[in-house]
Amino acid sequence: MLRCAHFPVVSLAQMHNGSVSAQPNTFPPEIARRIVQIQSVTLVWMSVEAVVSLGAAWAARSPALLGFGGDSAVELFSAAVVLWRFYSPSRGDHAERKAARTAGGLLFVLAAFVALTSVLALLGHVETRSSPIGIVILILAAAVMPWLAKQKRQLSAATASAALRADAAESAVCGYLALIALAGLAVNAIWKVTWADPIAALALLPLIAREGWEAMKGKPCCDAS
């Protein structure tokens, strides 16, 4: 069990310039490097995931895939925000609060996006179709995103970073949304139940809203396994 360690955050830019010293007021450089690695992996994966899922959503007119692709785009931006936060030379609470509020606000943007696309589908404005490519990317995301979320929760606990906690929440939401969207697409593909797709997307809204609220309050992930 990993407990919170309240270390002042070291600028990753300083770390890469070799100016990090082993002083008691800094957290270990390996943690900073790990943050860079995880956020870099997130940026690369989310770029691929967003392009493929949004393209598949457009072809299939799928609100669940559209919501998932929107989540991928939000997660991409959130990962960039968190990376900026740890590169920020200010290293102060202001950067942390700003990054946490931004990441939390993006979760609410995602919730609104998913709700809108799902309601449009339920009202019959969008006719959903099956998407084999969408199913493949959802299966991959369901495997990758929980791992990323776990790594970020551990780093949030080690750095007491609410911004990392919010980003971990968005990675977890992305994984849950992948599973729910996958269920909706599978039901639609096998039994031609078109309303299963938007209902699957709507099922995730309470989780998104809760995590967005916690992130905007600036609550770090203080206990991670």
Side-chain angles (χ1 to χ4, degrees):
M1 197 69 72
L2 185 60
R3 302 289 179 182
C4 268
H6 293 280
F7 300 105
V9 177
V10 175
S11 168
L12 293 181
Q14 289 184 320
M15 183 199 72
H16 280 268
N17 289 332
S19 60
V20 175
S21 59
Q23 298 176 2
N25 289 332
T26 63
F27 62 77
E30 58 268 20
I31 293 181
R33 292 193 201 95
R34 186 60 178 164
I35 293 171
V36 170
Q37 292 168 356
I38 290 298
Q39 295 307 106
S40 297
V41 169
T42 301
L43 288 171
V44 172
W45 171 252
M46 299 316 298
S47 297
V48 174
E49 189 178 278
V51 170
V52 174
S53 58
L54 288 174
W58 178 263
R61 303 295 188 269
S62 167
L65 265 178
L66 189 59
F68 177 75
D71 170 75
S72 300
V74 167
E75 171 70 4
L76 176 62
F77 186 66
S78 175
V81 167
V82 172
L83 193 58
W84 160 83
R85 181 263 178 278
F86 283 92
Y87 264 114
S88 175
S90 66
R91 295 181 294 164
D93 290 339
H94 175 71
E96 170 66 26
R97 288 194 299 269
K98 186 175 181 180
R101 285 196 300 267
T102 301
L106 288 172
L107 282 167
F108 284 106
V109 171
L110 172 62
F113 186 69
V114 171
L116 176 62
T117 56
S118 299
V119 169
L120 287 175
L122 288 173
L123 292 177
H125 295 292
V126 179
E127 182 180 355
T128 61
R129 298 191 290 268
S130 62
S131 174
I133 295 177
I135 290 174
V136 171
I137 194 67
L138 289 172
I139 291 173
L140 291 174
V144 172
M145 298 315 298
W147 177 80
L148 282 175
K150 180 180 179 181
Q151 301 304 310
K152 293 175 185 181
R153 282 194 298 268
Q154 291 175 341
L155 290 169
S156 173
T159 61
S161 171
L164 262 175
R165 181 188 189 278
D167 198 46
E170 288 173 22
S171 295
V173 164
C174 187
Y176 293 137
L177 185 54
L179 290 172
I180 294 173
L182 181 60
L185 264 67
V187 169
N188 187 22
I190 297 171
W191 292 289
K192 308 302 179 185
V193 181
T194 57
W195 53 261
D197 190 308
I199 289 296
L202 287 172
L204 199 65
L205 290 181
L207 175 61
I208 298 175
R210 181 180 67 83
E211 291 295 345
W213 176 247
E214 293 294 340
M216 294 193 76
K217 288 194 300 183
K219 180 180 179 181
C221 189
C222 289
D223 196 4
S225 57

